[in-house]
Amino acid sequence: MAIERTLSIIKPDAVAKNVIGKITQRFEDAGLKVVAAKLVQLSALEAGQFYAVHKDRPFYKDLVNFMISGPVMIQALEGESAISKNRDLMGATDPKKAEPGTIRADFADSIDANAVHGSDAPETAAAEVAFFFPGLNVYSR
Ligand code: RTP
Ligand code: MG
């Protein structure tokens, strides 16, 4: 077990539902600390770069268009096993398959509008935190 950082994005559907606070409360209740945050409207270029790993998948264009459909709340979360802990709090990608009590089960409408993003591994967490919060390591400690 180790203290990690992970990247969370509260997606446009959840921001529109006014549940930034409720979702962030779940992170805090699980022992994760918000160490950086910004509410932004992503450009197509930023969203496309961020999800570049999926660029050849059939859902890529819809995913990028969804991510730029409204503001998103981007947070770096820090804590014990933050990467897997956040994924557990989020629940499965498809909210119909998400465990009861997870963020996606409670707040997501569909596999496309699924409320939150979370980094899925140490390598992607480091890259994603650096993508949105360059210099975080320099300034937060
Ligand atoms: P995220 O990256 O947003 O945290 O979601 P995830 O790890 O649970 O799922 P991932 O496989 O990385 O897919 C990224 C996003 O693409 C959309 N998606 N649609 N129609 C489909 O089969 C499909 N598969 C994935 C979802 O919105 C997913 O969050
Ligand atoms: Mg993913």
Side-chain angles (χ1 to χ4, degrees), residues 40-126:
V40 293
Q41 170 74 51
L42 295 178
S43 68
L45 186 65
E46 286 173 308
Q49 283 178 349
F50 183 75
Y51 276 120
V53 64
H54 296 307
K55 68 179 176 347
D56 296 326
R57 308 283 290 278
F59 57 79
Y60 178 67
K61 195 159 179 280
D62 286 345
L63 174 60
V64 170
N65 282 332
F66 172 65
M67 291 301 287
I68 66 171
S69 66
V72 294
M73 183 69 187
I74 307 176
Q75 296 175 312
L77 305 174
E78 184 178 277
E80 195 73 55
S81 304
I83 299 162
S84 61
K85 189 177 277 185
N86 181 42
R87 295 291 303 194
D88 290 346
L89 293 171
M90 290 165 59
T93 307
D94 182 350
K96 291 200 290 288
K97 297 177 182 158
E99 288 289 318
T102 59
I103 292 167
R104 282 168 165 164
D106 290 345
F107 299 116
D109 297 323
S110 68
I111 192 168
D112 302 303
N114 63 0
V116 279
H117 163 84
S119 307
D120 58 12
E123 301 72 29
T124 50

